[in-house]
Amino acid sequence: GEGRDKAAIKFRLLALCAGADRGAAAGAEKRREILNEVVALEALGTILDFPACIDGAWTLAYSSALSRGSGSGGGASKNSPRMFQTPDRAGSLNFGPRAQVGEVVQRISSRKGTLDNIVSVNLPFLGTAVLTLKHKLEVSTGMKNEVSIYLTGIEAKNPGSFLTQKLGLRPLEIPVITQVSRQGKGVFETTFVDENVRVSRGDRGELRVFVKA
């Protein structure tokens, strides 16, 4: 019936994600609609060739952790790098007045055992800063298609500079960043993947949808 075709489910899922600002603009109803499409997609797919099938660059289309009902906020604290300091905590993709999180890309190499979350931040009057949150990736030996990731370092590239600043594991305390990459171990199961869409579920209930970059 209608909605059971994989292409149709993917189209509706990505359309819902496009209107949700990666989850930041998703209320309870939108979260339910996205979840329904994800469950339908998960029921269709058999995952082959894991973990090679998750390799490459994937753009974050939706994260349930960024939605308003999830407790994440915006802004940065005095412990954050100076270019992100702002008292504004109004929105989960907001770094302060007119500063917004741009694209979030996840770059995976199962062979090298690495996973990088690359976050672009558009800063007013300054341009785009890029944060790279680097992780060690371990593939589960169990039956599930799971990986464990450990944050190993954070790098920042300031606007207008070719230099990369290594921030180590200094806490950023920027909620959208901590939702993308938390310190400590994170376990994520790939529940659907094909040539252009990937769905993962985290051990703290996060649901994430990615599109091949």
Side-chain angles (χ1 to χ4, degrees):
E2 186 179 353
R4 299 303 92 197
D5 172 69
K6 185 173 85 165
I9 296 170
K10 282 168 54 175
F11 182 83
R12 174 153 170 74
L13 173 62
L14 296 181
L16 287 166
C17 291
D21 193 10
R22 289 159 293 175
E29 184 178 349
K30 179 67 70 71
R31 290 199 302 273
R32 269 195 306 273
E33 289 180 308
I34 289 173
L35 178 60
N36 287 342
E37 298 303 322
V38 163
V39 169
L41 210 50
E42 289 171 337
L44 294 179
T46 300
I47 296 173
L48 303 173
D49 197 26
F50 184 86
C53 59
I54 67 172
D55 283 346
W58 300 85
T59 301
L60 180 68
Y62 173 79
S63 169
S64 62
L66 296 179
S67 62
R68 289 194 176 96
S70 70
S72 67
S77 77
K78 64 183 185 332
N79 295 323
S80 305
R82 182 170 297 163
M83 63 181 172
F84 298 127
Q85 287 179 14
T86 163
D88 189 342
R89 294 173 178 268
S92 57
L93 291 186
N94 188 16
F95 280 78
R98 299 183 302 283
Q100 292 289 323
V101 174
E103 196 169 60
V104 179
V105 174
Q106 193 169 83
R107 188 172 58 204
I108 300 173
S109 172
S110 59
R111 184 178 59 83
K112 293 180 180 177
T114 59
L115 181 151
D116 294 343
N117 285 325
I118 303 158
V119 184
S120 298
V121 185
N122 302 312
L123 301 168
F125 313 117
L126 294 175
T128 301
V130 178
L131 290 175
T132 301
L133 299 104
K134 304 176 83 67
H135 302 76
K136 179 175 76 168
L137 178 144
E138 294 178 352
V139 178
S140 170
T141 56
M143 296 294 290
K144 289 185 175 181
N145 297 310
E146 285 183 341
V147 295
S148 298
I149 63 172
Y150 305 83
L151 186 64
T152 58
I154 301 168
E155 296 178 352
K157 197 170 194 180
N158 294 353
S161 170
F162 295 105
L163 299 177
T164 298
Q165 178 186 5
K166 292 188 184 301
L167 302 179
L169 287 180
R170 178 181 168 191
L172 292 175
E173 295 192 16
I174 302 171
V176 66
I177 298 300
T178 59
Q179 296 297 349
V180 168
S181 293
R182 62 175 180 261
Q183 292 194 31
K185 179 181 177 180
V187 180
F188 294 89
E189 180 184 3
T190 296
T191 56
F192 176 85
V193 61
D194 67 4
E195 66 281 357
N196 51 26
V197 173
R198 177 167 64 91
V199 175
S200 75
R201 291 180 180 262
D203 56 336
R204 298 186 189 178
E206 310 105 311
L207 171 65
R208 296 179 181 177
V209 179
F210 296 88
V211 177
K212 200 68 180 277

